Amino acid sequence: MEELKDLFANNRRWAGQMKARDPQFFERLSAQQNPKYLWIGCADSRVPANEIIGLLPGEVFVHRNVANVVVHADLNCLSVVQYAVDVLKVEHIIVCGHYGCGGVAAALDNRRLGLIDNWLRHVQDIHKKHGARFECIDSHDKSVDRLCELNVIEQALNVCQTTVVQDAWARGHTLSVHGWIYRLQDGELRDLGASASSPADVENAIQRACERLPTN
Ligand code: CO
């Protein structure tokens, strides 16, 4: 347990720095959170939502799982989306994947890792659906990265298709869904152009984003 003392020391230092910068920070935050964004990202330790987009606690609502998958029957993810949209009234839902994702690579390689294989089956289904797009790709790393991109686009589509988002749009709630990807090598984000702000946008946005991807 000795080594965990470091984490508490880090925490005290961090809380002290935050209070030095803004004495009312925690008091204000404890009374209310008012995020404009919901981030659905990979659980990978190298892709921390707040740091990447330079936002403070209170500014982004976050859900992370292995390979940033949005499954229509996943009550955990759906509850996060519903709370974020209906209660917090976020204006943007960002599905953010990352290149070199271990979960996506395991899905592509059909690796047997245990229980998680069943979760990654959803990513394998995307590979199968877009099988033709992989025929001209000549390296394994490129195939992984292409599947990372397609996974983001398909998961953004899944978000758009949830009853929560469909109902919010039907009520006239201002809400956009976006598909982004992060590069571990340089820390930069890229918009895959899969944004949708109404039911009429969805099909075109997804198709355009897929067409924009390189074919090799
Ligand atoms: Co990942």
Side-chain angles (χ1 to χ4, degrees):
M1 290 302 280
E2 218 25 43
E3 73 274 20
L4 297 186
K5 282 184 175 168
D6 292 351
L7 302 186
F8 286 93
N10 289 350
N11 167 254
R12 281 191 295 272
R13 198 176 323 116
W14 172 77
Q17 285 165 352
M18 296 301 283
K19 279 183 272 193
R21 209 180 302 162
D22 178 356
Q24 310 303 319
F25 181 74
F26 290 110
E27 215 173 293
R28 219 172 38 241
L29 210 55
S30 64
Q32 196 192 8
Q33 63 166 335
N34 191 21
K36 280 200 184 72
Y37 316 96
L38 164 61
W39 173 281
I40 300 175
C42 183
D44 192 302
S45 63
R46 299 165 295 180
V47 196
N50 285 69
E51 281 92 333
I52 288 174
I53 47 179
L55 293 182
L56 289 169
E59 295 181 324
V60 57
F61 203 61
V62 175
H63 176 78
R64 290 167 68 183
N65 61 44
V66 174
N68 44 273
V69 175
V70 178
V71 180
H72 292 304
D74 176 7
L75 275 183
N76 182 357
C77 182
L78 290 178
S79 300
V80 169
V81 173
Q82 193 257 323
Y83 188 78
V85 171
D86 292 348
V87 182
L88 298 174
K89 311 232 179 281
V90 298
E91 291 166 19
H92 301 275
I93 301 176
I94 299 153
V95 176
C96 186
H98 65 102
Y99 291 113
C101 181
V104 171
L108 182 71
D109 299 344
N110 206 17
R111 237 176 282 153
R112 295 302 296 268
L113 298 171
L115 177 68
I116 194 170
D117 302 344
N118 300 283
W119 180 252
L120 294 175
R121 180 70 234 182
H122 296 291
V123 182
Q124 291 186 316
D125 290 344
I126 293 170
H127 181 236
K128 199 169 176 190
K129 177 176 171 185
H130 294 275
R133 294 190 157 270
F134 291 82
E135 284 167 9
C136 298
I137 301 180
D138 54 9
S139 86
H140 178 261
D141 287 356
K142 272 196 214 169
S143 294
V144 172
D145 286 350
R146 187 58 27 76
L147 189 53
C148 290
E149 292 166 334
L150 288 164
N151 183 47
V152 166
I153 295 167
E154 290 284 346
Q155 304 310 335
L157 172 63
N158 287 346
V159 171
C160 293
Q161 288 170 335
T162 59
T163 53
V164 177
V165 171
Q166 290 285 323
D167 290 351
W169 280 337
R171 289 194 307 268
H173 181 131
T174 302
L175 178 67
S176 303
V177 178
H178 311 272
W180 295 357
I181 195 153
Y182 176 78
R183 192 180 290 280
L184 297 169
Q185 284 84 352
D186 59 14
E188 290 189 11
L189 277 174
R190 187 155 72 94
D191 187 341
L192 289 173
S195 299
S197 304
S198 73
D201 285 349
V202 177
E203 207 174 311
N204 270 344
I206 298 303
Q207 202 181 328
R208 253 194 342 261
C210 286
E211 281 167 5
R212 211 174 289 165
L213 297 175
T215 52
N216 60 11

